[in-house]
Amino acid sequence: MDLALSGKRALITGGSVGIGLAVAHALAAEGVHIAICARNGDRAQAAADAIAQTHGVETLALPADVAQAADINHLVTALTSAWDGIDILINNAGTGSEEKILTAPDDKWQYYWDLHVMAAVRLSRALAPTMKTRGGGAIINNASICATQPLYYEPIYNTTKSALVMFSKCLANELIPDDIRVNTINPGLVLTPDWRKTAGILTEGTDRTADDYLNQIAEDNTPIKRFASPEEVANFFVFLCSPKASYCVGSTYYVDGGWLKVT
Ligand code: NDP
């Protein structure tokens, strides 16, 4: 199937590793030029170089902490001075949290609000006008199954991802007249460095290994009994970005191996 994406331009936040990197490769395989943003500039540059070499597309590595408004301003300036705009925005950067509501301080709530919600607000506000000029586009917000079905140990993550889903729905209504489709993907268990970090934290000081924990959580929670690879999830991102998904607007799609218990 020709996804009609060749020659488009995409910005992927958190595109240097994990799901974001898999999305970057999958889009580049369709001929999309790729800008990657992450805090660690060396890792972003290495990913951008590998994508350019593998797929023969243009790439940019743009170091930024998307939880910081000033960094987003710099990111947008760097991006729009290299390219006249983008067609695809993937708001993917994010990470798990670990806390109790009664003891988590305000600044932790604020950090995750900035990372999971305001980054998407600020980047959409800055870059949607360039999509409009270029004739339309697609914005995909990577939330989580936890936006609907929370994990007990990360209430701030659950809450901020839920807010991202609602933001996405509101933005979709505002941008569809300009032919910009906004959707959310809620992945389930995807084996990335972030899960390995979480498993390490949760098993520290216990007699279980991180791998035991990961196998058990997949066995206990998912009908499919395993984690997804980042590539399995990335395929769905690519489809939603393409004109083949032209009637997909303002929706939330679960890619979760059957983990969601009710719809
Ligand atoms: P990883 O930790 O593997 O990768 C996270 C990426 O985001 C890295 O490129 C990291 O680079 C970047 N990043 C993190 N914080 C920032 C920041 N403040 N500013 C800019 N870049 C940042 O994560 P995953 O691939 O597992 O997750 C990606 C997204 O998918 C997240 O939003 C996560 O919540 C969501 N998700 C993941 C699931 C899973 O099972 N893995 C399930 C459901 C949702 P650097 O550290 O250099 O900044």
Side-chain angles (χ1 to χ4, degrees):
M1 178 164 45
D2 177 10
L3 294 176
L5 285 169
S6 187
K8 302 289 187 191
R9 298 188 184 282
L11 170 64
I12 302 156
T13 71
S16 62
V17 70
I19 296 171
L21 179 60
V23 172
H25 271 284
L27 285 172
E30 297 297 323
V32 177
H33 305 298
I34 301 293
I36 283 176
C37 138
R39 291 165 301 181
N40 182 328
D42 290 343
R43 194 163 63 168
Q45 188 65 60
D49 291 347
I51 289 166
Q53 192 165 19
T54 306
H55 304 287
V57 295
E58 287 173 40
T59 59
L60 299 171
L62 304 168
D65 179 348
V66 296
Q68 309 290 333
D71 271 29
I72 290 198
N73 290 341
H74 293 138
L75 166 63
V76 169
T77 301
L79 180 66
T80 52
S81 57
W83 293 345
D84 65 353
I86 57 169
D87 310 287
I88 295 166
L89 170 62
I90 311 282
N91 289 308
N92 166 75
T95 191
S97 62
E98 208 250 317
E99 65 277 319
K100 296 279 189 210
I101 293 169
L102 293 195
T103 49
D106 283 3
D107 59 355
K108 187 166 189 184
W109 283 93
Q110 189 62 52
Y111 177 76
Y112 279 86
W113 175 256
D114 286 333
L115 176 61
H116 290 152
V117 184
M118 290 312 298
V121 173
R122 290 169 175 145
L123 284 169
S124 302
R125 197 166 55 202
L127 294 171
T130 75
M131 293 182 177
K132 180 181 176 182
T133 304
R134 291 166 64 83
I139 298 176
I140 302 191
N141 294 312
N142 187 2
S144 168
I145 189 173
C146 295
T148 305
Q149 184 170 279
L151 284 170
Y152 73 93
Y153 55 81
E154 49 185 2
I156 296 180
Y157 181 83
N158 303 329
T159 303
T160 51
K161 289 292 191 174
S162 188
L164 177 61
V165 172
M166 179 53 82
F167 163 69
S168 195
K169 182 72 181 163
C170 297
L171 186 66
N173 293 338
E174 194 166 316
L175 294 186
I176 194 59
D178 296 326
D179 240 345
I180 300 169
R181 294 179 301 102
V182 183
N183 288 288
T184 306
I185 294 178
N186 280 352
L189 297 173
V190 188
L191 200 48
T192 65
D194 201 37
W195 257 112
R196 294 205 172 280
K197 185 183 83 182
T198 302
I201 291 168
L202 294 177
T203 54
E204 197 177 358
T206 74
D207 56 1
R208 302 177 72 195
T209 66
D211 277 343
D212 286 344
Y213 175 82
L214 292 170
N215 290 336
Q216 193 67 51
I217 200 164
E219 179 74 24
D220 289 349
N221 291 294
T222 60
I224 201 169
K225 304 286 183 206
R226 65 173 177 82
F227 275 72
S229 68
E231 290 73 22
E232 284 178 291
V233 179
N235 292 333
F236 197 70
F237 277 78
V238 173
F239 170 72
L240 267 189
C241 289
S242 85
K244 297 288 182 193
S246 51
Y247 207 63
C248 298
V249 176
S251 288
T252 301
Y253 299 92
Y254 291 82
V255 182
D256 69 354
W259 189 14
L260 185 69
K261 292 193 174 58
V262 291
T263 53

